[in-house]
């Protein structure tokens, strides 16, 4: 039985858009969204699926106790730490819908096996990524370019992990196919979960 449905893709690819489409297709309450714990400060748009502002020592204590799993630093060794609250990711009362950073794909597959469906999202169009990243973050040009290059590297990693059978399916996001992508992914998920 599928218990966890996760999207993997770089920043700006449209994971949030696809998650909303999946929730709309299945209805509110069908999925559970696990809580992500992080050392970064609280943001105004943080919802109930975020537990921000955890001091680093407390974060690591929870990792050691197994309360936080799949911990990683998606923005490099000087960035904040992120991880899932184990109790919310392992909840089996309803399927879980979430996002995994590319760094967590192998550990997640090892931990959850066939209970996990991984959907990769990639983009080969630099202008699509550049526009989405710039609109999302409001970054200066240099910061946007750094994120675009990181997104391209993540896309290559996702393609490689798919070739190894660690990601179930990969969809390409393009400016011209946003609505088509929405229906393609939600139809694919519907066929897997029903």
């Amino acid at each position: 039985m599928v218990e966890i449905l996760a999207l993997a893709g770089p920043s700006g690819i449209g994971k949030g858009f696809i998650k909303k489409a999946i929730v709309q297709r299945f209805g509110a309450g069908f999925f559970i969204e696990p809580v992500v714990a992080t050392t970064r400060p609280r943001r105004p748009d943080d919802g109930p699926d975020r537990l921000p502002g955890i001091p680093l020592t407390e974060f690591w204590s929870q990792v050691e106790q197994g309360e936080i799993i799949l911990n990683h630093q998606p923005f490099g060794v000087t960035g904040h730490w992120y991880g899932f609250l184990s109790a919310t990711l392992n909840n089996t009362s309803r399927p879980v819908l979430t996002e995994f950073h590319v760094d967590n794909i192998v550990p997640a597959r090892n931990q959850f096996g066939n209970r996990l469906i991984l959907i990769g999202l990639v983009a080969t169009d630099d202008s699509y990524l550049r526009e989405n990243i710039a609109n999302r973050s409001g970054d200066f040009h240099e910061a946007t370019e750094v994120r675009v290059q990181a997104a391209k590297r993540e896309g290559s990693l996702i393609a490689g992990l798919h070739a190894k059978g660690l990601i179930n399916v990969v969809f390409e996001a393009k400016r011209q196919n946003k609505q088509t992508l929405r229906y393609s992914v939600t139809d694919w998920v519907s066929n897997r979960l029903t």
Side-chain angles (χ1 to χ4, degrees):
M1 174 184 171
V2 174
E3 296 174 11
I4 301 170
L5 177 65
L7 301 171
S11 178
I13 197 78
K15 294 183 300 289
F17 172 76
I18 295 299
K19 275 174 57 180
K20 286 178 187 173
I22 292 169
V23 168
Q24 286 176 346
R25 173 69 70 94
F26 285 88
F30 185 86
F31 291 101
I32 294 172
E33 181 136 7
V35 176
V36 174
T38 178
T39 59
R40 76 153 167 75
R42 179 173 292 283
R43 294 178 184 157
D45 62 343
D46 281 337
D49 64 329
R50 290 289 181 269
L51 183 59
I54 300 175
L56 188 59
T57 54
E58 184 181 330
F59 184 92
W60 278 107
S61 175
Q62 290 184 40
V63 169
E64 290 170 4
Q65 295 172 27
E67 296 170 4
I68 294 177
I69 59 174
L70 300 176
N71 52 291
H72 66 291
Q73 285 178 297
F75 304 111
V77 295
T78 60
H80 290 288
W81 283 93
Y82 293 78
F84 290 96
L85 291 185
S86 177
T88 63
L89 192 58
N90 284 304
N91 186 322
T92 58
S93 63
R94 290 181 284 165
V96 171
L97 176 61
T98 192
E99 300 172 19
F100 283 159
H101 187 271
V102 68
D103 293 344
N104 280 332
I105 291 173
V106 172
R109 180 60 73 197
N110 289 340
Q111 183 166 354
F112 299 111
N114 290 334
R115 294 172 44 208
L116 170 65
I117 289 181
L118 274 165
I119 299 170
L121 299 172
V122 298
T124 55
D125 180 357
D126 287 3
S127 64
Y128 171 83
L129 288 169
R130 191 170 288 108
E131 181 180 305
N132 285 354
I133 291 169
N135 288 342
R136 180 178 179 185
S137 63
D139 285 334
F140 294 110
H141 177 73
E142 294 81 13
T144 298
E145 288 307 309
V146 168
R147 288 181 181 246
V148 167
Q149 293 309 311
K152 288 171 63 176
R153 282 190 300 276
E154 286 182 37
S156 294
L157 290 170
I158 286 169
L161 292 167
H162 178 248
K164 293 179 181 176
L166 297 172
I167 295 177
N168 298 79
V169 66
V170 173
F171 292 93
E172 184 174 356
K174 300 177 189 174
R175 181 177 294 115
Q176 301 87 351
N177 80 338
K178 195 169 184 180
Q179 292 304 321
T180 304
L181 176 66
R182 171 187 180 163
Y183 294 117
S184 297
V185 174
T186 55
D187 286 349
W188 189 89
V189 171
S190 290
N191 289 333
R192 290 300 299 259
L193 296 185
T194 54

